[in-house]
Amino acid sequence: MPPDFLSRKQVHSMAITRSAVFATLWLLLLVSPAAAAPPSQPDLLIARARSMGLASERNWHILLHYKKTFGGGFRSRISDPNFFLSPQGRENPEAELEATIAGFFLPRTGDGEHPICRFPARLQWLKDRLGIPPGDLPETACTEQKELLQTVDARSAVLVFPVGHINSPASMFGHTLLRFDGPTKSNLISFAVNYAADANDKNGLLYAYKGLCGKYKGYYSLMPYYLKVKEYGDLEHRDMWEYRLRLSQEEVDRMLLHTLELERISSQYFFLDENCSFNLLFLIEAARPTLHLSDRTGLWVLPTDTIELARENGIVDEAVYRPSQGARIVKMASLLDAEGQKAALKLAQGKSEPSKAARAGASVQQQREVLDLAAEMVQLRYARKELEKDDFNKLYLKILAQRSRMGKGEDDLYTVAPPPPPDAGHGTVKLGAGGGVRRDEWFGELRLQPAFHDMLDPDQGYIRGAQIKFLDTALRYAPEHDRLWLKSLHLLDIASTSPRDRFFTPLSWKAAAGWDTEAMKDGRDSLIFRVNTGGGFAARSPFGGILHALGEVDLNAGRRFAGNVAAGPGVSLGALEQVTDWWKLQLKGEAFYYLLGDERVAVKGTVAQNFRLTRNDSVNLELSYQEVEGHSVREATLLWNRYF
């Protein structure tokens, strides 16, 4: 139809239609593939991360605590789902990396809740590797993190080793933690990083089961260092060794950022391997990823192993000794005679007045020493909660007031001489080889002590009077009869002989279970299963060693017993002397009267010596005599020990 016959309405309608088509074409042009919207910033970064293979880089694996599995995959040692942004993050490094990049670009959330606040070490590493400009990230509020970084103000890091707690089986190996030092000289106001199990079970068997099977959760925590000094040094009387780490400022910063990521994050805690010492290695590796510390651990990880690993990698300075309050009190008491010690104890107990510290004939210096010791004991009593705060203040200030009248004493009088540091001690695995004679029959012996320390091993770096051994095994071979047999296999063997004095009154105890070769009533040897435990007292010998007396119970089981069992009470007496730095002597006598099952009386005396040749070499010479129902057994053994 010609256009001049169209009405105005039709013309108007056609104009609208043309406009609509024109607009549609423009829209189609705008959305055509050639002019599609550019990919988002996270998508670009994820694509770049893929092309660079960041998910397979070691730094990423350290920050996520990934370890290779037997199947060739990866699995993080962190079990807390809050540590991952991807549902597959624990087993899939790439999925977690991409989820982390995407997470950093999420809209703003509550203060401290955004992934930028939760994972500062990941953020720092990805910014460096992908070149993310600061302005590209969303603005977030991380108030707590910023305040904490300013408060800690880390300038250097220190690896701290509190020695074992002699009367606590769970702490007999010692412990490790890290400390961040700021610009101030006093490290007591520094901050410490601790990793520990959340374990409150009082039942020993339940505690051991959960600890060995990973039933406890372990947590990292950041806290003032003085709290740990109070816990270990004052309450538990554990000396502490502090090894400054040779890290740059940049490395210290990385360690602190990764620490913040791990706060309130849990992982399975295993007593033997994934424990405090193992998990701290990730923090050191986060500081310097070229280190391979957590890859070099064995079936179990002991705190001393951590020190050794750090020392082998050249990242620690010489150790600094921090004596416990118990060590200081022992030192101060050693300067006084018996009357002076009694006077200090009475003052500390509030049984005498400080003004009466002046004994007849006592010099001013001796009075100072009495008051100083009393003041130290009052602090100990308060830490043990034997005194209420008001009572403590009154008594402590009264002693200090009297002490101030005595004037300044000699400098460094109470300085405790540092013992050999833990890294001077022998390795924790011992292999012994040698031989001997038993009942005039010669034998060769091979002994393996996988962990940790025998009472007779050299004391350097270990607690004197303490013993803890796992799976200690001895095999013997008699060439004359071409016979090989198991002499002993101790599943567990723990002993603690802690000397008592006027100021400290610990109990001594022992517990052991395993197989031993013992003489029977007919005089012949047999392999028996034994459970032995006991308790008693120990004291310092006149020569500086330890004397002990224990009451014991011995339960034996074996096919050579009448009724397959024998049980009875006994007693053991012993002396342990460090004669010289390289010569250690142990005398021990024990007697048991088996009343239940197979009745018999057994008496045994042993003289054992250890000669330290080098840090990791020693020789044992042991002579013993045993009497069982009229049958005597003499034995001599000579073993060369190599520690690893």
Side-chain angles (χ1 to χ4, degrees):
M1 183 178 289
D4 53 335
F5 291 103
L6 296 177
S7 65
R8 290 173 63 89
K9 185 176 180 180
Q10 287 173 316
V11 171
H12 181 69
S13 175
M14 289 179 67
I16 292 175
T17 303
R18 281 199 299 272
S19 298
V21 171
F22 185 76
T24 303
L25 288 174
W26 269 107
L27 285 173
L28 288 173
L29 184 62
L30 288 173
V31 300
S32 65
S40 66
Q41 177 75 334
D43 291 340
L44 288 173
L45 293 173
I46 288 172
R48 193 183 305 168
R50 286 177 185 165
S51 67
M52 295 171 67
L54 294 190
S56 60
E57 289 195 4
R58 175 168 172 74
N59 299 53
W60 182 247
H61 292 178
I62 290 172
L63 292 176
L64 273 298
H65 297 208
Y66 287 126
K67 289 294 178 185
K68 274 194 171 180
T69 64
F70 290 116
F74 290 93
R75 184 177 175 85
S76 173
R77 296 300 174 93
I78 302 289
S79 56
D80 194 331
N82 292 324
F83 190 61
F84 306 97
L85 292 174
S86 165
Q88 295 81 39
R90 191 176 183 195
E91 288 86 17
N92 191 331
E94 187 166 12
E96 182 61 23
L97 186 139
E98 294 179 3
T100 300
I101 294 174
F104 289 152
F105 289 87
L106 289 174
R108 181 171 182 168
T109 58
D111 191 350
E113 297 176 359
H114 196 278
I116 287 177
C117 304
R118 292 169 53 198
F119 304 110
R122 297 187 202 183
L123 175 66
Q124 187 62 50
W125 183 70
L126 286 170
K127 283 169 65 178
D128 293 343
R129 295 292 287 129
L130 295 173
I132 306 173
D136 286 8
L137 293 167
E139 290 187 6
T140 54
C142 308
T143 307
E144 183 182 356
Q145 180 194 109
K146 289 178 181 176
E147 290 178 352
L148 197 54
L149 287 172
Q150 290 175 353
T151 303
V152 176
D153 195 12
R155 307 294 177 88
S156 61
V158 178
L159 180 61
V160 182
F161 175 74
V163 303
H165 188 349
I166 194 168
N167 265 331
S168 171
S171 303
M172 287 185 81
F173 294 113
H175 182 60
T176 48
L177 61 150
L178 288 167
R179 189 183 78 211
F180 290 110
D181 282 351
T184 60
K185 291 184 179 179
S186 173
N187 49 43
L188 283 178
I189 59 174
S190 298
F191 276 74
V193 187
N194 192 50
Y195 180 83
D198 182 16
N200 297 310
D201 290 304
K202 303 298 182 186
N203 184 304
L205 291 177
L206 185 62
Y207 180 78
Y209 163 72
K210 286 186 172 181
L212 292 171
C213 298
K215 301 297 181 184
Y216 288 122
K217 288 183 178 180
Y219 289 90
Y220 292 89
S221 55
L222 191 65
M223 65 187 71
Y225 184 56
Y226 73 85
L227 293 177
K228 304 309 292 182
V229 173
K230 181 179 178 183
E231 176 185 350
Y232 296 127
D234 295 351
L235 293 178
E236 298 181 354
H237 298 172
R238 298 164 66 177
D239 293 343
M240 299 171 76
W241 292 91
E242 301 165 346
Y243 297 81
R244 189 163 301 281
L245 294 170
R246 296 172 183 165
L247 298 177
S248 67
Q249 179 64 60
E250 185 181 356
E251 291 170 334
V252 172
D253 291 343
R254 282 201 291 264
M255 181 188 286
L256 178 57
L257 290 179
H258 189 46
T259 300
L260 299 183
E261 293 180 334
L262 293 165
E263 274 205 296
R264 296 184 285 274
I265 296 294
S266 67
S267 56
Q268 284 180 284
Y269 191 102
F270 294 86
F271 282 171
L272 296 183
D273 51 2
E274 294 184 41
N275 49 29
C276 63
S277 296
F278 177 78
N279 282 286
L280 283 188
L281 296 179
F282 286 103
L283 295 178
I284 302 175
E285 289 179 338
R288 187 178 296 175
T290 54
L291 295 171
H292 287 260
L293 304 177
S294 62
D295 298 331
R296 294 181 54 196
T297 56
L299 292 176
W300 42 70
V301 187
L302 304 177
T304 47
D305 295 335
T306 308
I307 304 293
E308 184 65 17
L309 274 173
R311 194 181 64 82
E312 288 176 357
N313 283 273
I315 58 169
V316 291
D317 285 336
E318 291 298 315
V320 175
Y321 177 58
R322 182 186 291 275
S324 67
Q325 189 176 40
R328 292 197 303 273
I329 289 174
V330 169
K331 171 65 179 178
M332 296 167 79
S334 70
L335 302 174
L336 294 167
D337 58 17
E339 291 304 314
Q341 292 180 8
K342 290 177 183 176
L345 194 57
K346 282 185 177 179
L347 283 174
Q349 293 171 340
K351 295 180 179 177
S352 65
E353 289 297 317
S355 58
K356 297 180 180 177
R359 295 177 291 124
S363 67
V364 174
Q365 179 59 32
Q366 287 171 329
Q367 294 174 47
R368 291 192 192 108
E369 292 167 4
V370 168
L371 290 166
D372 286 339
L373 177 56
E376 197 79 26
M377 283 298 299
V378 171
Q379 292 182 73
L380 177 65
R381 292 188 64 205
Y382 179 60
R384 288 177 169 177
K385 299 182 179 178
E386 295 175 10
L387 289 172
E388 296 295 331
K389 188 172 183 178
D390 290 342
D391 296 332
F392 164 74
N393 287 336
K394 289 177 185 174
L395 184 55
Y396 190 59
L397 292 176
K398 195 185 296 183
I399 293 173
L400 290 186
Q402 181 65 23
R403 174 65 182 85
S404 67
R405 299 187 186 100
M406 299 289 176
K408 187 174 182 291
E410 298 177 24
D411 292 334
D412 303 327
L413 188 64
Y414 305 135
T415 300
V416 181
D423 52 305
H426 60 73
T428 55
V429 179
K430 181 172 73 176
L431 182 64
V437 58
R438 180 180 173 88
R439 288 199 188 91
D440 301 325
E441 181 182 38
W442 291 93
F443 61 83
E445 180 168 320
L446 189 64
R447 175 167 291 188
L448 175 64
Q449 178 184 297
F452 164 69
H453 178 72
D454 184 274
M455 192 81 80
L456 195 59
D457 287 332
D459 277 337
Q460 286 86 349
Y462 290 84
I463 305 174
R464 180 177 296 183
Q467 167 180 293
I468 181 165
K469 300 189 293 183
F470 288 107
L471 304 176
D472 186 20
T473 306
L475 291 173
R476 284 185 175 178
Y477 174 71
E480 185 177 347
H481 300 96
D482 192 22
R483 185 167 70 97
L484 176 69
W485 73 97
L486 177 68
K487 189 260 181 182
S488 61
L489 169 55
H490 296 166
L491 301 174
L492 179 69
D493 192 344
I494 307 177
S496 169
T497 54
S498 185
R500 298 164 66 94
D501 54 31
R502 284 190 178 84
F503 305 96
F504 303 107
T505 55
L507 292 175
S508 295
W509 55 273
K510 62 181 295 190
W515 289 266
D516 269 315
T517 298
E518 289 291 346
M520 299 290 100
K521 288 170 69 173
D522 58 5
R524 293 189 297 169
D525 288 342
S526 182
L527 188 67
I528 65 167
F529 184 78
R530 160 178 285 165
V531 175
N532 176 274
T533 187
F537 308 101
R540 291 183 182 82
S541 77
F543 311 104
I546 298 174
L547 306 173
H548 75 259
L550 303 179
E552 300 185 20
V553 175
D554 205 38
L555 172 64
N556 300 167
R559 59 185 175 82
R560 299 282 302 278
F561 291 124
N564 297 326
V565 68
V571 62
S572 69
L573 305 172
L576 189 68
E577 295 288 345
Q578 189 74 48
V579 183
T580 68
D581 286 343
W582 51 269
W583 180 19
K584 196 172 185 181
L585 174 65
Q586 184 180 39
L587 306 174
K588 189 166 67 174
E590 54 189 15
F592 289 94
Y593 181 26
Y594 295 93
L595 300 167
L596 302 176
D598 195 68
E599 291 187 17
R600 63 191 170 110
V601 174
V603 180
K604 187 177 182 179
T606 304
V607 178
Q609 302 177 79
N610 179 279
F611 303 96
R612 188 182 196 239
L613 305 179
T614 68
R615 178 190 169 204
N616 282 315
D617 293 279
S618 72
V619 170
N620 275 14
L621 174 61
E622 185 171 318
L623 307 173
S624 67
Y625 177 82
Q626 187 175 14
E627 187 80 27
V628 181
E629 295 294 321
H631 301 281
S632 60
V633 181
R634 295 180 178 83
E635 181 176 308
T637 309
L638 182 67
L639 288 178
W640 170 74
N641 302 310
R642 176 67 180 171
Y643 302 89
F644 300 92

